[in-house]
Amino acid sequence: MARLLNALGADLAGPVATAADAERLISERRPDVALVDFSLRDGEPAHDLIDRLQDQGISVIVITGYEVVPIAPGKVEAILHKPVSAAHLIATVRQVTSR
């Protein structure tokens, strides 16, 4: 995903594997949109990270292998289910960043 987004001209600030790493990264540089895997390293759930990103006005796109994702409506801009095609990822990121 990183290579694809870089090839399209995106300025990436990651990837990171944990919520703590994400917190450090966004404290240094605020992204327009965050791609967040619902299950982080070692099974760490992303609920709190998603809440903090939303509180800071950062749009969130969740990427997951789970069939059902327990996220309240309005918490994220989109949920993409793995495997995510390049075309679907690009279309979703463009849609979210154009808002």
Side-chain angles (χ1 to χ4, degrees):
M1 286 186 194
R3 281 189 297 238
L4 172 65
L5 293 169
N6 273 323
L8 294 171
D11 181 21
L12 300 182
V16 296
T18 67
D21 290 342
E23 292 285 341
R24 276 191 291 282
L25 188 66
I26 61 175
S27 72
E28 299 168 3
R29 182 173 166 190
R30 186 184 180 281
D32 296 322
V33 64
L35 301 176
V36 178
D37 194 318
F38 191 70
S39 181
L40 304 173
R41 178 176 285 158
D42 297 328
E44 177 186 6
H47 286 105
D48 292 340
L49 174 59
I50 291 168
D51 288 344
R52 286 190 294 279
L53 291 167
Q54 185 188 37
D55 290 346
Q56 294 182 39
I58 299 168
S59 297
V60 177
I61 298 171
V62 169
I63 300 170
T64 184
Y66 295 111
E67 186 70 27
V68 176
V69 183
I71 295 178
K75 284 281 185 183
V76 300
E77 297 293 324
I79 298 173
L80 303 178
H81 293 276
K82 295 177 186 179
V84 179
S85 71
H88 194 201
L89 175 65
I90 293 166
T92 303
V93 170
R94 283 185 175 153
Q95 180 182 13
V96 170
T97 57
S98 70
R99 294 181 190 159

